[in-house]
């Protein structure tokens, strides 16, 4: 039977109710449903549909053909990629991602679990909230979703098929430019610098051949290392959290790349929260102590979880050689710190900034914050192979902060 949803059109708060009733049996046939658009992004439309009487709700996320801001065309296969990786991650790390109820290929729409019982981690950290179990939970999620998608665990042909299935050229292009090129070579003139930092950025980034060489290595590795099925955009805005668990959302940038990219994004964004509070609430010692320990615990905890997963899942005798195992894990950890550095730099000088930076409006303080983040990012990139503990990572930030009297 033909359906109005056989061809793509943009949903609204009326049509999404019909869509949910036709595509799922989540609500009873007699349920009185309401819908609201809750998305604040640039490339998707997000609706929450709720049963007024029972309070049960779900979310529908739809991809459009064009960017909202610029009207630039964008491949809608990102929606299929997101739905599939959510199901994969849901099997590997149960309860840590929203459950997918339905994917409609014609409408490029995912119907999934509503995570309203969880807080957006970026906003929660900005508000000074702490989550004692989070470092352990995210470290476990990373290890359990990344290593099992590598050649060390998967059948070689299966892995090659997944690399092909999750090729994501348009969204990877965004990362390759905005994260791994333009902060060091502003060839599109899109960087947005805080007034007063121009000479500093010129010296530290644009004229720094040593840093550029290491950034080039990380860029090349991102383009040419199909190591694991990664989330691709795992910042604190893509993590929802409460005192009992986490929900990782929005994996539409997913593709086969270096697993350190995901780990580094988490570490880098925790450093943003640390830097913001160090600037704006230097006497909030409870939060500052917790966020420092979170940076340490995620770094050390991920390595420990990765080692456990490695010993549990990797069976090929060649890969179980201790020298190979150590080299493999050391490389991942070095990548993680390098990509933490690229995340800090790109969110500071690029045009896609974070609230931890933009919410600091005092001109002098903002200059110091920008310089602190750039110096920390550069040090993580340059020293990534020598920083072997979470404490050494934290000390990189604290040394830079002391220099700027923050």
């Amino acid at each position: 039977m033909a359906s109005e949803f056989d061809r793509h059109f943009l949903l609204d708060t009326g049509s999404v109710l019909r869509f949910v009733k036709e595509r799922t049996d989540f609500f009873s046939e007699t349920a009185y449903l309401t819908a609201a658009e809750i998305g604040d992004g640039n490339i998707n439309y997000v609706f929450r549909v709720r049963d007024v009487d029972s309070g049960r709700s779900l979310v529908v996320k739809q991809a459009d053909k064009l960017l909202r801001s610029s009207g630039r065309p964008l491949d809608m296969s990102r929606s299929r990629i997101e739905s599939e990786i959510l199901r994969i991650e849901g099997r590997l790390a149960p309860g840590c991602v929203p459950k997918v109820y339905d994917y409609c290929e014609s409408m490029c729409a995912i119907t999934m679990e509503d995570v309203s019982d969880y807080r957006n981690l970026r906003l929660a950290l900005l508000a000074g909230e702490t989550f004692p179990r989070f470092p352990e939970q995210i470290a476990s999620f990373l290890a359990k979703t990344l290593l099992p998608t590598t050649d060390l665990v998967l059948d070689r042909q299966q892995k090659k098929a997944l690399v092909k299935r999750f090729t994501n050229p348009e969204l990877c292009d965004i990362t390759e430019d905005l994260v791994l090129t333009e902060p060091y070579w502003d060839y599109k003139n899109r960087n947005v610098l805080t007034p007063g930092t121009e000479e500093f950025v010129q010296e530290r980034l644009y004229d720094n051949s040593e840093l550029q060489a290491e950034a080039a290595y990380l860029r090349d590795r991102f383009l040419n290392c199909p190591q694991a099925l990664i989330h691709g955009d795992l910042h604190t805005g893509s993590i929802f959290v409460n005192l009992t668990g986490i929900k990782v959302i929005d994996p539409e940038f997913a593709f086969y790349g270096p697993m350190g990219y995901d780990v580094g994004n988490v570490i880098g964004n925790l450093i943003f929260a640390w830097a913001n509070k160090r600037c704006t609430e230097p006497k909030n010692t409870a939060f500052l102590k917790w966020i420092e320990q979170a940076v340490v615990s995620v770094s050390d905890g991920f390595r420990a979880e990765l080692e456990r997963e490695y010993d549990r899942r990797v069976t090929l005798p060649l890969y179980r050689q201790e020298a190979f195992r150590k080299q493999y894990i050391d490389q991942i950890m070095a990548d993680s710190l390098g990509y933490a550095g690229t995340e800090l730099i790109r969110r500071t000088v690029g045009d896609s900034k974070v609230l931890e930076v933009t919410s600091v409006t005092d001109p002098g303080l903002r200059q110091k914050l920008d310089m602190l983040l750039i110096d920390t990012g550069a040090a993580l990139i340059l020293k990534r192979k020598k920083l072997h503990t979470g404490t050494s990572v934290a000390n990189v930030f604290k040394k830079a902060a002391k220099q700027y009297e923050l």
Side-chain angles (χ1 to χ4, degrees):
M1 181 181 295
S3 164
E4 67 175 307
F5 306 113
D6 288 342
R7 298 184 68 178
H8 186 274
F9 65 91
L10 286 180
L11 292 166
D12 57 25
T13 54
S15 57
V16 74
L17 300 181
R18 300 193 302 275
F19 178 79
V20 166
K21 286 182 177 181
E22 179 175 317
R23 298 285 306 186
T24 78
D25 58 1
F26 186 83
F27 300 109
S28 70
E29 292 185 5
T30 59
Y32 176 58
L33 304 181
T34 62
E37 187 180 354
I38 61 172
D40 60 358
N42 185 35
I43 61 177
N44 299 293
Y45 293 78
V46 184
F47 301 88
R48 178 180 291 120
V49 179
R50 181 175 176 270
D51 180 345
V52 172
D53 295 325
S54 70
R56 296 187 75 206
S57 60
L58 52 69
V59 165
V60 177
K61 181 177 180 180
Q62 184 185 29
D64 189 17
K65 300 176 182 179
L66 305 174
L67 286 175
R68 287 192 184 190
S69 59
S70 65
R72 170 188 167 189
L74 199 62
D75 185 358
M76 292 192 296
S77 65
R78 66 187 188 275
S79 182
R80 187 266 306 167
I81 286 174
E82 178 171 356
S83 71
E84 292 186 8
I85 194 173
L86 282 173
R87 286 190 168 107
I88 292 171
E89 290 177 340
R91 290 194 297 268
L92 294 172
C96 292
V97 298
K99 182 179 179 181
V100 175
Y101 302 126
D102 175 66
Y103 174 64
C104 179
E105 185 171 4
S106 58
M107 293 292 288
C108 299
I110 311 167
T111 305
M112 68 183 98
E113 177 186 358
D114 183 10
V115 297
S116 298
D117 290 339
Y118 295 73
R119 288 270 282 138
N120 179 293
L121 182 59
R122 185 180 305 285
L123 299 180
L125 295 179
L126 271 170
E129 298 178 43
T130 60
F131 301 91
R133 297 183 60 193
F134 168 73
E136 173 189 351
Q137 291 165 339
I138 195 64
S140 175
F141 171 82
L142 288 163
K144 289 179 178 178
T145 58
L146 293 173
L147 185 70
T149 65
T150 68
D151 285 299
L152 274 64
V153 176
L154 287 179
D155 171 79
R156 286 170 289 171
Q157 295 305 316
Q158 181 186 7
K159 193 255 189 170
K160 289 179 175 65
L162 286 172
V163 172
K164 181 178 179 181
R165 181 120 183 112
F166 286 98
T167 297
N168 199 354
E170 286 198 353
L171 293 188
C172 284
D173 184 67
I174 293 173
T175 302
E176 291 153 12
D177 246 6
L178 295 182
V179 182
L180 300 170
T181 306
E182 293 180 43
Y184 315 94
W185 177 40
D186 189 20
Y187 75 107
K188 291 185 178 180
N189 295 311
R190 295 194 294 193
N191 287 348
V192 180
L193 307 186
T194 296
T197 66
E198 294 87 353
E199 290 185 7
F200 179 89
V201 169
Q202 186 73 39
E203 176 190 349
R204 293 296 207 277
L205 301 179
Y206 300 159
D207 295 338
N208 189 338
S209 59
E210 181 184 13
L211 179 65
Q212 289 179 0
E214 296 303 322
Y217 173 88
L218 292 165
R219 185 182 191 275
D220 181 71
R221 192 155 171 80
F222 183 87
L223 270 71
N224 297 297
C225 179
Q227 183 179 43
L229 183 54
I230 69 173
H231 180 286
D233 195 28
L234 193 53
H235 52 76
T236 47
S238 298
I239 302 170
F240 279 61
V241 63
N242 59 25
L243 292 176
T244 61
I246 62 172
K247 295 286 185 181
V248 175
I249 68 168
D250 291 347
E252 60 198 348
F253 279 74
F255 82 113
Y256 258 86
M259 66 174 76
Y261 190 76
D262 276 358
V263 184
N265 267 261
V266 174
I267 293 172
N269 278 271
L270 290 176
I271 291 174
F272 278 126
W274 189 3
N276 175 275
K277 278 292 182 287
R278 186 130 181 179
C279 283
T280 61
E281 298 180 38
K283 294 183 179 180
N284 190 346
T285 55
F287 181 86
L288 289 170
K289 182 178 179 180
W290 180 82
I291 195 68
E292 176 180 349
Q293 188 55 47
V295 170
V296 172
S297 297
V298 170
S299 181
D300 290 343
F302 170 70
R303 180 170 192 130
E305 289 286 344
L306 184 62
E307 289 173 343
R308 280 192 285 271
E309 285 295 301
Y310 194 108
D311 293 340
R312 186 168 74 90
R313 289 182 174 273
V314 177
T315 58
L316 186 70
L318 287 173
Y319 289 150
R320 292 189 66 85
Q321 293 296 318
E322 181 55 31
F324 174 84
R325 175 182 178 275
K326 182 179 184 304
Q327 182 186 54
Y328 186 86
I329 293 174
D330 283 350
Q331 178 68 68
I332 293 167
M333 297 310 300
D335 285 350
S336 298
L337 300 185
Y339 290 122
T342 62
E343 174 72 356
L344 289 171
I345 290 171
R346 77 98 166 195
R347 296 286 193 180
T348 304
V349 304
D351 68 352
S352 181
K353 301 188 188 298
V354 289
L355 275 173
E356 293 90 336
V357 174
T358 59
S359 62
V360 177
T361 56
D362 176 87
L365 196 57
R366 175 63 182 275
Q367 287 179 23
K368 287 185 176 182
L369 175 60
D370 281 21
M371 292 188 288
L372 164 60
L373 292 169
I374 291 168
D375 273 355
T376 301
L380 290 175
I381 292 170
L382 293 170
K383 299 178 180 179
R384 65 188 185 279
K385 296 178 183 178
K386 300 177 181 178
L387 302 172
H388 300 300
T389 66
T391 298
S392 65
V393 175
N395 285 341
V396 167
F397 172 79
K398 291 198 291 185
K399 181 179 179 181
K402 187 175 181 181
Q403 176 183 341
Y404 295 105
E405 300 179 344
L406 292 173

